Amino acid sequence: MPLDANRLTSLRAQIAALDCVLDGLQRDLRAPERVPQPSPLRQAPGYRLFGQDFPARNGNDTLSSAFRQFAELEPRFPERFAQAVSHLGRARRYVGRSPQAVYPGKPRLWAATVEFAPQWYLGTNENNATKLKLLQAACQVLGLEFGGDFQIRL
């Protein structure tokens, strides 16, 4: 089948266009895709436990969610944690068997507790620095490496 000059020119143009597309695709394969990482200051609250991310709405949600996870990992965690942090709170405890035990004599704060394990309550009326100390103590109780096994974003 004889090719005329117009057909041959058209085929050469198509080959050139395909070569350009192929070169672009090969460049994309060679250069790894750069995904922008959000700055640490703008990351959403949450935590990472054993490499799995757990997003949260805010610092209180982060704290209570982490404590629920810890209680699932170690059923005796609530008792062990209560004993370990008994020296931290001057006027009250951070965890207790009831909201009244967490915030004794402060009925307006009883609503600022969450149940993190059956019949165990955690006070959430804390600043982020205190939440961080509580999470560090919790990691110590469980034998987790804070910043390694457990990472936090408040």
Side-chain angles (χ1 to χ4, degrees):
M1 168 191 222
L3 291 176
D4 63 24
N6 289 338
R7 176 94 171 123
L8 186 58
T9 303
S10 173
L11 287 172
R12 285 184 177 149
Q14 288 177 1
I15 289 172
L18 288 172
D19 281 340
C20 286
V21 170
L22 184 60
D23 286 344
L25 291 172
Q26 286 175 335
R27 270 193 308 272
D28 289 346
L29 287 175
R30 277 184 247 126
E33 184 177 330
R34 187 161 148 70
V35 178
Q37 297 293 321
S39 70
L41 297 177
R42 296 174 45 205
Q43 286 184 342
Y47 62 95
R48 177 177 287 170
L49 180 61
F50 299 125
Q52 184 177 355
D53 287 323
F54 294 88
R57 294 177 310 217
N58 53 42
N60 286 343
D61 190 33
T62 301
L63 181 68
S64 58
S65 177
F67 269 66
R68 285 186 187 104
Q69 286 286 328
F70 295 157
E72 285 180 26
L73 282 173
E74 168 60 62
R76 292 189 51 236
F77 169 73
E79 295 94 357
R80 292 176 57 207
F81 179 79
Q83 200 170 33
V85 297
S86 62
H87 67 284
L88 291 179
R90 289 184 295 171
R92 60 173 180 76
R93 294 183 269 174
Y94 293 104
V95 297
R97 291 294 199 160
S98 68
Q100 295 80 7
V102 177
Y103 295 112
K106 298 194 178 195
R108 66 178 184 81
L109 291 178
W110 294 346
T113 61
V114 293
E115 189 173 23
F116 70 96
Q119 298 178 359
W120 279 97
Y121 293 82
L122 170 67
T124 60
N125 188 39
E126 307 297 339
N127 62 35
N128 283 350
T130 301
K131 290 174 188 163
L132 193 61
K133 287 179 186 175
L134 294 175
L135 289 165
Q136 288 172 328
C139 286
Q140 190 172 17
V141 165
L142 292 171
L144 300 177
E145 181 186 349
F146 188 84
D149 300 324
F150 180 80
Q151 299 169 5
I152 186 78
R153 295 178 314 277
L154 289 178

